[in-house]
Amino acid sequence: MALVGGRGRHRTLCPAEPDQAIIWWLVLPQASLAWLRYLLVLLSLLHGTDSFYVPGVAPINFHRNDPVEIKAVKLTSSRTQLPYEYYSLPFCQPTKITYKAENLGEVLRGDRIVNTPFQVSMSVEKKCEVLCNFPNKPVTLTVEQSKLIAERIREDYYVHLIADNLPVATRLEFYSNREEEEKKKEKDVQFEHGYRLGFMDGNKFYLHNHLSFILYYHREDVEENQEPTYRVVRFEVIPQSIKLEDLKADEKGMCTLPEATGSAPQEIDPSKENQMLFTYSVHWEESDIKWASRWDTYLTMSDVQIHWFSIINSVVVVFFLSGILSMIIIRTLRKDIANYNKEDDIEDTMEESGWKLVHGDVFRPPQYPMILSSLLGSGIQLFCMILIVIFVAMLGMLSPSSRGALMTTACFLFMFMGVFGGFFAGRLYRTLKGHRWKKGAFCTATLYPGVVFGICFVLNCFIWGKHSSGAVPFPTMVALLCMWFGISLPLVYLGYYFGFRKQPYDNPVRTNQIPRQIPEQRWYMNKFVGILMAGILPFGAMFIELFFIFSAIWENQFYYLFGFLFLVFIILVVSCSQISIVMVYFQLCAEDYRWWWRTFLVSGGSAFYVLIYAIFYFVNKLDIVEFIPSLLYFGYTALMVLSFWLLTGTIGFYAAYMFVRKIYAAVKID
């Protein structure tokens, strides 16, 4: 095939029009603007449609007087980041405590779903009923129990209950505008997950000992002769603190609530024993919300319009910058390739310069090829796992109604993606002239997972010391180890074996025996400067989404905008690839051929900005002051930053590797 240089009359024999391939490959992000518009339209249509449930999850139909079981999940606080079991506090207990069998994700999240003594029946009202076994005998809290409750109230703990798998929510009403005319019209309503355990007034602690449950049901269409069926579509609670003397209970367990204006709250004095009654009431309301849309209330707790504008702004800015970078690189490469492929008489008198000069060293294997290929293999594992999880979640297969499904799916997918990670690592290791493939496979299977397991184990020891339900139980830890060494390790070895046997990547130029001397580099070619420069564009594409992800992780919010997240992930891949190509091009033009490790490090530069943002979020958004919660935050943040660096570094490395092979295949090497 003929390669046409800058001028039509100069032709040299080179494979398959490579400069045209380079140009097509680089302008791919610009071409993607067209499908991006279609993707945005698709996302808007998905956003406007009714929500749907996981296939195979069937609604539960209730008849009148059927029991609706209220279960407890856990206690959480954004101030301590330590979840606790419901019965870690002296709440009223049923005759027999039964814990629900949980999946891996629920255990890792700290969920401990357990039954409660609340007696709720479908469409049956209860004005006020005493919760504990002794109807008119108050519960006496010991000094230790009083201190514990007071401490949990000070740490701002929330209680999480579920009814028919729907989490309880507290309604918050407020005015969006302060103008008097707007105040008279309507209030904005938002919901927060769970209900507050209590509140503080000065130095005094008050416990919410009365819960007013408001359950909404949807009446299903049935035939005339059939008994009507109902489905639970919303679960709200109004917590109240009512002093023992104001709650008048009889021997049947019924109680009378005082008027709101004349009641005093139930104080908890941590220095002495306290007496109180735990009571509850149940109110049912009919709703037009259908069962398939019942989660919409919980998933629209923040203004989605802000999200739309932010995402579209990021899309426009990133693709605009990507287009500019592509045009610069394309024009420069056209000129370079045309100049390098000239066959004029003056060519012998001109001295070579630029990236062609290092053609004999550009594919020289780097130091520590085994570690590099192992890290890139783990990056491939992460990439495949994240891509599949986001895509499946975008289709609604991992909705919040499937408690713990997202984390369970991610864990298993990472294990099974080991075969792809091993394959890519093995092939690259052979390309880099490696020979010890068994040691390389073991390194790939244990390096990154070993670091993750080590950090999590240390953090887990601290959580154990706090007796938190967030501590991974020992049997679960053994099960994870068995998955690691029984599933992931053999699959990595399998993939590594086939990757190592496969033909290595075909490098278009030969490597010289004697390495070329590298000239002194300018200050801006320093790798740390490169990390700072290369990380800005990918981080700018995703930092808005990062706020929502951090809120979901650290403030017990639901994250559900996986359509947006998929779009952001695509933008992240494009921006990481392009910035990596630009950086490696500048490096080769400076006659520095040591690009293997540098590209991997520099492409992951956005992880540095993620770390900076995490510190900013910790200081400005969270109210964490104690040592162990701070340790947990920064420990898990370190894992996130490490994983993000592997992901973006791998994306940038393979983009740069393809680019380097393309440009050196496009020029005539004597």
Side-chain angles (χ1 to χ4, degrees), residues 303-315:
D303 192 359
V304 181
Q305 197 169 10
I306 297 173
H307 211 125
W308 271 109
F309 285 127
S310 302
I311 293 296
I312 293 173
N313 181 59
S314 297
V315 169

Side-chain angles (χ1 to χ4, degrees), residues 368-371 373-374 423-441 496 500 505:
Y368 313 113
M370 184 183 294
I371 297 177
S373 59
S374 298
F423 179 83
F424 279 90
R427 191 177 184 193
L428 182 65
Y429 184 58
R430 184 175 181 184
T431 304
L432 299 179
K433 306 295 189 291
H435 302 290
R436 298 175 295 175
W437 74 269
K438 293 180 181 178
K439 186 176 180 181
Y496 210 98
F500 193 78
Y505 294 111

